[in-house]
Amino acid sequence: GLPDSEAPCAPIAVTPSGIVWVAIDNVGVSRYDGETWTTFTKDDGLGSDWVRSIAVLSDDIVLFATSTNGISIYNGDSWSYFNADNGLITKSASSIAIAKDGVIWVGAGGGVSKYDYDGETWISYSNKLGLLGPSAGSIATGSDGLVWAGTDEGLYCYNGETWTTFNTDDGLANNRIYSLAVSPDNTVWI
């Protein structure tokens, strides 16, 4: 079973082939292949034992947003990392979304970073540029190509060129957006 049944478990992700990944607070992540649980910690190569979000790029490539060391990427055999030292906006990553075109979007302290998974460049959008609130704690993408970021100062939408802000003046019940999701018909749930 899981290594510490007393610790909170969240988030959870499932690969297309049914492999289950579970984050366990201050323990790391565990993978269930249908028969066996395998746990990965910082000592095994995970960037941090505090995982805030999991995104599945493919059966073999899984991304983990960590609260203290950016993004950890597991390719089935080894670990690699993105953090403030190599392009990510900050070392504190809160959420990950993968757009239909394969672009990786990361919500983090300080804003949002995006990456085409080609080994090239991160592009970051930050509050220093007046684009986002101080922290993007949640992020989601729709099949229409829009990117949605939840912050402490409202909901932001990126259409590929500009960011649009939605807040209580636009009808939101609260400006603090902790979680969001986009349904197949592109309805945004917050």
Side-chain angles (χ1 to χ4, degrees):
L2 295 172
D4 185 348
S5 60
E6 297 296 318
C9 295
I12 300 171
V14 181
T15 69
S17 66
I19 295 171
V20 178
W21 288 90
V22 178
I24 306 161
D25 276 356
N26 201 29
V27 173
V29 293
S30 290
R31 178 185 66 194
Y32 183 66
D33 63 8
E35 295 180 16
T36 306
W37 285 98
T38 304
T39 298
F40 298 92
T41 67
K42 188 173 181 178
D43 292 339
D44 300 307
L46 181 65
S48 168
D49 290 334
W50 291 93
V51 175
R52 296 292 166 243
S53 181
I54 303 171
V56 176
L57 191 60
S58 69
D59 261 351
D60 295 327
I61 301 174
V62 182
L63 293 84
F64 305 89
T66 71
S67 62
T68 60
N69 198 20
I71 302 297
S72 295
I73 303 166
Y74 184 69
N75 69 7
D77 294 314
S78 62
W79 294 91
S80 59
Y81 313 94
F82 288 114
N83 55 39
D85 295 333
N86 58 3
L88 194 62
I89 195 166
T90 182
K91 67 179 182 176
S92 176
S94 303
S95 57
I96 309 171
I98 300 172
K100 68 177 183 173
D101 61 1
V103 172
I104 299 166
W105 290 88
V106 177
V112 170
S113 292
K114 82 171 188 174
Y115 182 75
D116 293 312
Y117 196 72
D118 60 4
E120 295 298 321
T121 306
W122 283 94
I123 298 172
S124 293
Y125 305 93
S126 72
N127 56 346
K128 293 176 186 172
L129 301 174
L131 298 173
L132 292 171
S135 176
S138 57
I139 196 157
T141 61
S143 62
D144 57 4
L146 296 177
V147 178
W148 297 89
T151 76
D152 293 339
E153 296 179 1
L155 181 66
Y156 288 77
C157 179
Y158 184 67
N159 66 7
E161 295 181 18
T162 59
W163 289 94
T164 303
T165 306
F166 301 93
N167 56 37
T168 53
D169 293 339
D170 300 299
L172 291 181
N174 191 311
N175 283 336
R176 290 188 176 154
I177 309 298
Y178 294 107
S179 184
L180 63 97
V182 179
S183 67
D185 69 355
N186 293 308
T187 300
V188 178
W189 292 88
I190 55 174

